[in-house]
């Protein structure tokens, strides 16, 4: 059974809500987007600043992680120009083999043609064995040493005032197969999903509608870690797996600034070591202290 050759450091950030919001046309606002646009103008643009996000990325690069996972809500109202802006931001962080991305509900704010939206991110959402033309489907699997990243998409267009997510039976069936195969090969399985898959974190209108089915899959086949975003808060929960509890960790928005009711910008580092059946994971929280104060790190937390 394979062992980790050395400590693997996985960085997790989420919900960057990249600013500034490109100017939409009148036609682009003739949809659910008008509500998101008004929310941005009245409130969100004061909370999600590009300089805050740039500061987080600079601190992250200084930590030199082995890999970076971004769990969605990169855009604000799914404008074509936002997907282009996000693709440029991904490239500024690092190459696709070093950065893994999944979409969030804001990245599916309205239905968009593939070529004007997620196709621009395909290199960052493609499996290791993807077709030469790139991205094929979710979940994707990327193996880095003894660590396997499994990227899911819970991003679906919803009615106004809703921000729920859904995985669907085909994706869950493929996840089941992935977890079983990777578990048999002794990989450290890290599942990436935007919406929290455990109850009690968000309201029903923002929840993952098939979270129970997701938990059942993990209950049968296990995983070593689940990472999510969506709620812009720091949470550590558990899903019961066949070999014991599976840590489920959420991270605040990567661009969250002063003035809101959520934590300031934050990202997490997961230091993974050990071997099959004896993995060790320590979580380090890197949190922004506010303008001019930089980042501080909380004492490490042993997850498994």
């Amino acid at each position: 059974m394979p062992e980790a050759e050395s400590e693997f450091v996985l960085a997790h950030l989420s919900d960057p809500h990249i600013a500034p919001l490109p100017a939409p046309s009148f036609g682009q606002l003739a949809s659910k987007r008008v509500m998101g646009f008004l929310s941005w103008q009245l409130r969100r643009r004061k909370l999600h600043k590009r300089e805050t996000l740039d500061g987080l990325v600079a601190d992250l690069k200084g930590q030199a992680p082995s890999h970076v996972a971004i769990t969605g809500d990169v855009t604000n109202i799914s404008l074509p120009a936002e997907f282009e802006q996000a693709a440029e931001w991904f490239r500024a962080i690092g190459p696709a083999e070093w950065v893994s991305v999944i979409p969030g509900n804001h990245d599916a704010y309205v239905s968009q043609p593939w070529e004007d939206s997620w196709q621009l991110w395909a290199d960052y959402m493609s499996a290791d064995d993807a077709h030469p033309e790139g991205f094929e489907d979710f979940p994707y699997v990327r193996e880095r040493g003894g660590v396997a990243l499994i990227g899911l998409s819970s991003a679906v267009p919803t009615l106004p005032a809703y921000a729920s997510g859904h995985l669907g039976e085909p994706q869950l069936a493929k996840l089941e197969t992935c977890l079983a195969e990777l578990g048999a090969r002794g990989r450290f399985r890290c599942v990436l999903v935007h919406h929290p898959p455990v109850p009690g974190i968000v309201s029903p209108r923002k929840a993952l509608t098939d979270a129970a089915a997701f938990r059942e899959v993990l209950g049968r086949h296990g995983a070593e870690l689940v990472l999510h975003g969506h709620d812009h808060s720091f949470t550590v929960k558990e899903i019961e797996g066949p070999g014991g509890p599976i840590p489920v960790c959420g991270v605040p928005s990567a661009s969250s600034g002063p003035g809101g009711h959520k934590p300031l910008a934050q990202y997490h580092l997961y230091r993974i070591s050990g071997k099959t059946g004896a993995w060790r994971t320590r979580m380090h929280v890197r949190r922004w202290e506010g303008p001019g104060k930089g980042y501080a790190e909380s004492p490490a937390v042993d997850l498994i």
Side-chain angles (χ1 to χ4, degrees):
M1 302 293 277
E3 299 188 8
E5 295 180 359
S6 60
E7 184 179 69
F8 185 93
V9 183
L10 176 64
H12 174 218
L13 64 98
S14 195
D15 300 75
H17 293 288
I18 297 177
L21 179 67
S25 68
F26 179 79
Q28 288 172 333
L29 292 180
S31 64
K32 177 185 174 180
R33 281 196 185 115
V34 69
M35 295 177 63
F37 178 74
L38 290 174
S39 175
W40 177 262
Q41 292 295 331
L42 295 174
R43 183 177 62 89
R44 295 172 67 89
R45 66 185 177 89
K46 302 172 185 176
L47 302 177
H48 299 286
K49 301 285 190 179
R50 182 58 184 260
E51 54 264 33
T52 303
L53 181 59
D54 289 345
L56 182 144
V57 172
D59 188 82
L60 182 152
K61 288 185 175 181
Q63 296 299 310
S66 309
H67 198 80
V68 179
I70 303 173
T71 52
D73 276 4
V74 184
T75 69
N76 295 286
I77 57 174
S78 292
L79 292 170
E82 286 191 281
F83 288 103
E84 295 173 1
Q85 181 174 257
E88 292 177 2
W89 181 68
F90 295 149
R91 290 190 289 270
I93 294 176
E97 59 267 22
W98 190 63
V99 181
S100 294
V101 175
I102 61 168
N105 55 289
H106 279 262
D107 308 317
Y109 214 73
V110 296
S111 296
Q112 281 283 94
W114 165 255
E115 61 273 14
D116 294 333
S117 56
W118 295 356
Q119 185 181 34
L120 300 173
W121 305 355
D123 289 348
Y124 292 83
M125 302 192 301
S126 293
D128 291 330
D129 60 353
H131 187 276
E133 293 182 0
F135 177 82
E136 292 179 335
D137 200 2
F138 291 102
Y140 65 74
V141 175
R142 293 177 151 197
E143 295 189 44
R144 301 292 182 268
V147 176
L149 297 153
I150 306 169
L152 299 170
S153 174
S154 58
V156 292
T158 59
L159 294 172
Y162 281 80
S164 55
H166 188 73
L167 294 168
E169 291 183 7
Q171 196 172 179
L172 288 170
K174 189 175 177 183
L175 172 64
E176 190 148 11
T177 299
C178 290
L179 291 174
E181 292 179 351
L182 292 166
R185 291 197 283 119
R187 298 297 189 253
F188 182 101
R189 298 159 295 174
C190 177
V191 181
L192 309 177
V193 60
H194 179 69
H195 290 77
V198 294
I201 295 179
V202 295
S203 66
R205 71 181 183 87
K206 296 182 178 181
L208 182 65
T209 58
D210 47 1
F214 173 86
R215 294 193 298 272
E216 288 174 3
V217 171
L218 267 67
R220 287 191 291 271
H221 298 286
E224 283 58 57
L225 182 63
V226 178
L227 301 179
H228 69 84
H230 190 50
D231 187 50
H232 297 194
S233 62
F234 174 30
T235 57
V236 179
K237 303 290 185 179
E238 293 178 345
I239 291 173
E240 194 60 39
I246 301 166
V248 179
C249 302
V251 65
S253 164
S255 62
S256 181
H261 63 282
K262 294 291 187 177
L264 296 181
Q266 191 177 118
Y267 71 96
H268 298 164
L269 297 172
Y270 296 87
R271 299 187 181 277
I272 301 164
S273 59
K275 60 182 181 180
T276 304
W279 293 109
R280 296 185 299 275
T281 305
R282 305 199 81 194
M283 178 176 65
H284 299 254
V285 174
R286 299 283 297 175
R287 67 182 189 281
W288 186 46
E289 295 290 278
K293 297 181 180 179
Y295 276 74
E297 186 164 295
S298 299
V301 175
D302 289 316
L303 295 178
I304 57 174

